[in-house]
């Protein structure tokens, strides 16, 4: 049973009446908390020095405030007395809106993750909203009824990232689903792709009948793929281990716990997990260079869950662990504390596919219209031939560049391997997967279950309660409190 917790509000959220009710000790704690928060903000601001989207230089004054000096490179400047050119602001009050799903692909190895961040503009979401506002498809994020399907981490890619959002439309709501109107609707993907970076592309869009349909809450399954070379791995042993993941279970030992954000439930449902050879590969010909992938499907995933699973699978494939170690890690009653290990690298991971329910669990906005209430919320994905051709052209260029580099390296490896065999009669050297394990290499391997353990979930909750980051609500049935007091 998971402990129910609440995240404590920071000082800035408290009203004057709330502050007057606090004791002196509580006020001192709040001041200390606020000072710590200010130090974090200053560190963020220092990272932003000399960075700006418009070429501005950001300076931190002695008082701790931000000031901007405009750079001159690539920026048009005007004299103080010179009149600025007045640009007409787009009038959204004269436009219509429609609710849609947008499907994107992106290669995330050059970005700091999908979601917007306080200390970096180098995120996928930042570029999406920059494109949406620049093309006047939305007025602002706060008014866009926006939800994302998945929140990928730093360097993680997506072949099927989906967002739900309200976009500008040419037609009123009653006409939006007519076939002729769909054909003449704004080319959402086309105009966005003109302003998006080339490694972020909009593939297609889908008109949605229910304006409350959510790409996050109405997504029923998410499928990820993690690509890796075979190297010296025992693929059969890794496949046997995958079968042990397919159950309702607690994955606290196969993820990075973020208790400080209020997450205390680590039960997830893995519907399918398997290791497969990539369709275009020939294992007998390429040997250790043949590319495989882990495909894993679930209703939702925890922070670094797949990367932690991949770490254990790599150890199993190398023969350092038995497949049964999965059962040991999933037995949280026997092993409540996670062994210390490092998650696998993030760049081979991608969000491969998403599935949505036909009818949203959110209450439809058009309940009064029987014909809409009886229809599916989902329609069909709409593609544009020119956009798809352009997308394929761009990706083929990316592939050519990467493949030329890979072939040059592979050719050099072939010559070196032949030389090693001729001169020293040595066997194959297969260390292709060593890059994926960003861990300290020790001379003697220590089994996972014999390693030093991290703190248990209950201890972490207790720690953040003492730090006043979390609170545990008092209940008549004190089962949660009893769990919290366990050592």
């Amino acid at each position: 049973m998971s402990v129910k917790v609440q995240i404590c509000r920071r000082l800035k959220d408290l009203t004057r009446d709330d502050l007057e009710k606090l004791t002196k000790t509580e006020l001192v704690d709040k001041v200390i908390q606020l000072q710590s928060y200010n130090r974090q903000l200053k560190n963020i601001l220092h990272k932003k020095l000399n960075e700006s989207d418009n070429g501005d230089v950001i300076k931190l004054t002695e008082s701790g405030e931000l000031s901007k000096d405009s750079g001159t490179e690539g920026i048009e400047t005007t004299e103080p007395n010179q009149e600025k050119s007045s640009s007409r602001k787009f009038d959204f009050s004269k436009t219509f809106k429609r609710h849609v799903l947008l499907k994107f692909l992106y290669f995330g190895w050059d970005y700091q993750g999908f979601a917007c961040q306080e200390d970096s503009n180098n995120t996928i979401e930042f570029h999406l909203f920059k494109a949406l506002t620049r093309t006047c498809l939305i007025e602002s994020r706060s008014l866009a009824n926006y939800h994302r399907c998945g929140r990928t981490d730093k360097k993680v890619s997506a072949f099927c990232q989906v967002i739900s959002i309200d976009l500008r439309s040419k037609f009123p709501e009653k006409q939006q689903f007519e076939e002729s109107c769909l054909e003449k609707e704004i080319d959402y993907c086309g105009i966005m792709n003109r302003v998006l970076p080339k490694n972020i592309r909009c593939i297609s869009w889908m008109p949605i009948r229910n304006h409350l349909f959510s790409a996050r809450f109405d997504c029923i399954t998410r499928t990820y793929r993690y690509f890796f070379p075979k190297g010296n791995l025992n693929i059969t042993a890794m496949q046997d281990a995958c079968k042990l993941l397919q159950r309702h279970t607690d994955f606290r030992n196969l993820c990075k716990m973020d208790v400080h954000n209020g997450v205390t439930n680590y039960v997830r449902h893995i519907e399918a997990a398997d290791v497969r050879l990539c369709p275009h590969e020939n294992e007998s010909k390429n040997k250790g260079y043949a590319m495989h992938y882990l495909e894993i499907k679930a209703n939702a995933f925890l922070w670094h869950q797949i990367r932690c699973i991949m770490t254990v699978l790599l150890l199993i494939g190398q023969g350092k662990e038995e497949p049964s170690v999965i059962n040991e890690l999933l037995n949280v009653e026997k092993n409540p504390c996670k062994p210390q290990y490092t998650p696998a690298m993030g760049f081979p991971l991608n969000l491969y596919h998403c599935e949505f329910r036909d009818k949203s669990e959110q209450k439809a906005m058009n309940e009064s219209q029987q014909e809409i209430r009886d229809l599916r919320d989902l329609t069909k994905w709409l593609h544009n031939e020119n956009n798809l051709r352009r997308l394929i052209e761009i990706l083929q260029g990316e592939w050519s560049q990467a493949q030329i580099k890979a072939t040059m390296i592979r050719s050099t490896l072939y010559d070196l391997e032949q030389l090693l065999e001729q001169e020293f009669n040595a066997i194959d050297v297969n260390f292709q997967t060593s890059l994926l394990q960003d861990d300290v290499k020790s001379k003697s391997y220590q089994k996972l279950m014999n390693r030093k353990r991290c703190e248990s979930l209950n201890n972490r909750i207790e720690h953040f309660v003492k730090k006043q980051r979390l609170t545990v609500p008092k209940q008549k049935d004190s089962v949660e409190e009893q769990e919290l007091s366990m050592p």
Side-chain angles (χ1 to χ4, degrees):
M1 182 181 295
S2 61
V3 181
K4 294 182 179 180
V5 299
Q6 294 178 348
I7 301 176
C8 295
R9 294 190 305 170
R10 295 193 181 275
L11 183 63
K12 62 180 181 180
D13 295 325
L14 297 179
T15 64
R16 186 179 184 86
D17 293 336
D18 294 332
L19 293 173
E20 289 177 349
K21 295 177 182 178
L22 297 178
T23 64
K24 181 179 179 180
T25 303
E26 290 173 334
L27 283 172
V28 171
D29 291 338
K30 290 296 180 183
V31 171
I32 295 174
Q33 183 184 23
L34 182 57
Q35 289 175 338
S36 175
Y37 183 63
N38 285 339
R39 283 195 298 271
Q40 294 176 8
L41 287 179
K42 285 184 178 180
N43 290 334
I44 292 173
L45 294 177
H46 279 295
K47 291 180 181 179
K48 296 288 291 181
L49 289 176
N50 300 327
E51 293 181 4
S52 177
D53 294 329
N54 299 322
D56 293 341
V57 177
I58 301 178
K59 294 184 178 180
L60 189 64
T61 63
E62 294 182 359
S63 61
E65 297 180 350
L66 282 178
S67 66
K68 286 189 178 181
D69 291 339
S70 296
T72 58
E73 184 179 354
I75 299 178
E76 296 182 0
T77 59
T78 58
E79 297 295 332
N81 297 329
Q82 184 178 351
E83 294 185 0
K84 298 182 179 179
S85 59
S86 58
S87 58
R88 294 180 59 187
K89 189 175 181 181
F90 192 89
D91 189 359
F92 283 91
S93 63
K94 297 180 180 179
T95 63
F96 306 105
K97 286 185 179 181
R98 75 182 312 154
H99 194 56
V100 304
L101 295 182
L102 289 178
K103 184 188 294 185
F104 293 90
L105 70 78
Y106 54 84
F107 298 103
W109 41 69
D110 293 328
Y111 297 95
Q112 296 296 313
F114 181 82
C116 287
Q117 300 176 17
E118 291 181 347
D119 60 340
S120 176
N121 289 336
N122 190 26
T123 64
I124 307 295
E125 206 170 57
F126 171 82
H127 289 287
L128 289 183
F129 277 98
K130 187 176 181 180
L132 288 166
T133 53
R134 182 178 175 183
T135 55
C136 296
L137 291 178
I138 64 170
E139 185 174 2
S140 66
R141 174 170 177 165
S142 59
L143 301 175
N145 188 21
Y146 166 76
H147 287 101
R148 54 180 175 249
C149 177
R151 177 172 176 163
T152 54
D153 292 331
K154 179 180 178 181
K155 295 184 180 297
V156 177
S157 302
F159 298 167
C160 180
Q161 173 70 274
V162 179
I163 67 172
S164 56
I165 195 168
D166 291 345
L167 299 182
R168 174 169 57 90
S169 174
K170 290 182 179 180
F171 307 99
E173 185 174 356
K174 292 182 179 180
Q175 302 176 15
Q176 288 177 353
F177 291 91
E178 296 178 4
E179 195 67 29
S180 59
C181 294
L182 290 174
E183 293 177 358
K184 298 177 183 179
E185 184 58 281
I186 298 172
D187 183 11
Y188 297 122
C189 297
I191 64 175
M192 286 194 66
N193 286 340
R194 294 190 193 105
V195 296
L196 282 169
K198 66 178 182 179
N199 51 7
I200 306 175
R201 298 282 99 179
C202 184
I203 305 173
S204 58
W205 68 282
M206 178 190 293
I208 300 296
R209 293 189 174 88
N210 183 1
H211 285 249
L212 295 182
F213 192 95
S214 169
R216 176 186 178 188
F217 298 109
D218 291 313
C219 181
I220 53 179
T221 63
R222 297 165 176 86
T223 302
Y224 281 81
R225 285 185 176 181
Y226 191 103
F227 291 86
F228 61 94
K230 180 181 179 181
N232 60 349
L233 299 176
N234 184 342
I235 299 299
T236 303
M238 297 173 71
Q239 291 171 337
D240 292 339
C242 285
K243 296 176 182 178
L244 303 177
L245 297 169
Q246 301 174 36
R247 61 183 67 178
H248 288 275
T249 190
D250 195 317
F251 282 86
R252 69 181 66 179
N253 290 335
L254 285 172
C255 73
K256 187 173 182 180
M257 290 195 293
D258 48 346
V259 178
H260 60 285
N261 287 326
V263 180
T264 58
N265 182 4
Y266 293 91
V267 175
R268 295 296 184 270
H269 179 205
I270 303 293
E271 294 187 10
D274 195 12
V275 173
R276 302 170 183 171
L277 178 70
C278 291
H280 58 277
E281 290 287 350
N282 187 328
E283 188 169 7
S284 60
K285 180 179 179 181
N286 294 333
K287 297 182 180 179
Y289 295 95
M291 293 299 298
H292 292 68
Y293 61 87
L294 164 69
E295 182 171 284
I296 185 166
K297 178 181 179 180
N299 61 330
F301 290 94
L302 297 162
W303 190 18
H304 288 183
Q305 181 180 353
I306 301 175
R307 292 171 58 185
C308 289
I309 289 174
M310 194 64 207
T311 293
V312 179
L313 290 180
L314 289 172
L315 295 174
I316 293 171
Q318 293 167 355
K320 296 178 179 179
E321 299 285 349
E322 295 296 325
S324 59
V325 73
I326 296 290
N327 286 332
E328 292 291 326
L329 291 168
L330 295 180
N331 189 346
V332 295
E333 294 182 358
K334 180 180 177 182
N335 298 293
C337 299
K338 172 187 172 183
Q340 292 185 354
Y341 61 87
T342 305
M345 300 293 286
F347 73 90
L349 180 62
N350 76 86
L351 176 58
Y352 183 74
H353 185 65
C354 305
E355 294 181 13
F356 299 90
R357 55 175 57 93
D358 289 343
K359 199 74 175 174
S360 175
E361 290 188 345
Q362 317 299 319
K363 187 176 180 181
M365 297 180 69
N366 296 309
E367 287 287 349
S368 59
Q369 303 179 21
Q370 183 66 36
E371 64 274 11
I372 294 180
R373 189 168 51 186
D374 294 339
L375 293 174
R376 299 167 67 245
D377 292 334
L378 297 179
T379 54
K380 65 177 181 178
W381 290 107
L382 301 179
H383 302 85
N384 181 283
E385 182 180 357
N386 291 332
N387 290 335
L388 286 179
R389 285 182 176 275
R390 178 58 180 160
L391 175 57
I392 293 173
E393 179 184 344
I394 292 174
L395 292 185
Q396 285 178 343
E398 293 289 309
W399 174 87
S400 296
Q401 187 177 24
Q403 189 65 17
I404 288 170
K405 293 179 181 178
T407 302
M408 292 172 66
I409 297 173
R410 181 70 180 92
S411 178
T412 305
L413 281 171
Y414 178 80
D415 294 338
L416 292 174
E417 289 167 351
Q418 293 295 314
L419 181 62
L420 180 65
E421 184 177 357
Q422 292 172 6
E423 295 291 332
F424 302 99
N425 196 24
I427 60 174
D428 292 339
V429 180
N430 290 310
F431 289 96
Q432 294 92 338
T433 61
S434 60
L435 172 68
L436 305 178
Q437 298 168 288
D438 190 18
D439 204 352
V440 178
K441 303 296 187 298
S442 57
K443 294 183 179 179
S444 59
Y445 177 75
Q446 187 177 23
K447 292 284 188 179
L448 277 175
M449 305 313 297
N450 295 333
R451 296 184 186 183
K452 187 177 178 180
R453 304 299 179 95
C454 302
E455 285 186 309
S456 67
L457 174 60
N458 291 328
N459 286 340
R460 290 195 179 194
I461 294 175
E462 201 171 80
H463 169 78
F464 287 110
V465 168
K466 290 180 180 178
K467 291 287 186 180
Q468 297 185 354
R469 292 287 300 275
L470 299 174
T471 57
V472 180
K474 295 182 179 180
Q475 299 180 2
K476 294 181 180 179
D477 185 3
S478 59
V479 175
E480 287 85 358
E481 294 181 3
Q482 293 176 6
E483 290 183 355
L484 185 61
S485 62
M486 292 176 61

